[in-house]
Amino acid sequence: MSTRSGAHVINRIGPKGLPYDYTLIRPYMYKLLDIFPANFVGWLFETCYLDFQYDHKLYAIKPDHHIFSKDPILNDHIGSKLISLAVIMKPDIQCFTEDGVTFEGDSEVTQADVVIMVTGYTWKFPFLEEGIIKKENDKINLYKYMFPPQLPHATLISL
């Protein structure tokens, strides 16, 4: 696995089998963001939670950005796959060859039958009319658009 800018990996499952967004993020993160600047809350989250979860440097996925700059990876298994060497982290891809890949800093070709390139994702809502959901600074605040007043039924929530 190769990642250009690293990634913040967060487990989905938290204490007592409850999701982390339920036990940590919702009760505390949003309150902290109301009181402190986002940079400080991000540093606090990275230092007090992510660094104790597992060492991102050890697994060679230490990101070069802060937690609130890009979406994190929610995954319960990537740490165990990396530590057991079922998945091996590699540097950026330098070039493709006929039968493999050369990674930056490597002089030899790593044999590969298949390369899966994942460049991210795009938020699209093709089932909604244009203009209902707006991007602000390349972010979509979905919570603001759950009850758009201009719609006939004024809700995007399915009951």
Side-chain angles (χ1 to χ4, degrees):
M1 182 166 73
S2 172
T3 174
R4 186 172 297 148
S5 61
H8 290 287
V9 180
I10 300 174
N11 284 342
R12 292 179 308 117
I13 305 299
K16 299 181 182 177
L18 296 172
Y20 262 115
D21 67 338
Y22 176 78
T23 59
L24 175 72
I25 296 173
R26 289 185 188 177
Y28 304 110
M29 291 291 283
Y30 293 133
K31 289 178 185 173
L32 287 173
L33 285 168
D34 286 340
I35 300 168
F36 299 108
N39 288 344
F40 174 74
V41 176
W43 171 83
L44 190 67
F45 185 65
E46 290 174 33
T47 308
C48 297
Y49 167 70
L50 289 178
D51 288 350
F52 287 108
Q53 193 176 54
Y54 55 87
D55 189 353
H56 284 67
K57 288 180 189 173
L58 177 67
Y59 297 121
I61 57 171
K62 179 73 174 164
D64 57 6
H65 56 275
H66 294 289
I67 185 74
F68 297 131
S69 303
K70 294 183 179 180
D71 290 331
I73 295 173
L74 299 173
N75 191 297
D76 294 325
H77 306 288
I78 196 165
S80 64
K81 298 294 182 190
L82 289 167
I83 201 163
S84 67
L85 300 179
V87 172
I88 299 170
M89 287 302 301
K90 292 286 200 170
D92 289 345
I93 295 173
Q94 182 177 349
C95 67
F96 293 99
T97 64
E98 191 172 310
D99 57 350
V101 177
T102 303
F103 293 99
E104 287 184 2
D106 286 353
S107 57
E108 60 188 55
V109 175
T110 301
Q111 301 295 316
D113 294 328
V114 176
V115 175
I116 301 171
M117 297 187 70
V118 182
T119 59
Y121 53 88
T122 304
W123 292 96
K124 290 185 181 182
F125 302 92
F127 48 87
L128 295 176
E129 294 175 17
E130 192 69 34
I132 291 177
I133 295 184
K134 300 175 186 112
K135 279 188 179 180
E136 298 170 1
N137 298 328
D138 207 31
K139 293 185 179 182
I140 299 175
N141 295 317
L142 292 177
Y143 70 93
K144 290 183 177 180
Y145 299 109
M146 296 311 295
F147 299 97
Q150 72 272 21
L151 291 180
H153 300 290
T155 183
L156 294 177
I157 297 175
S158 173
L159 300 175

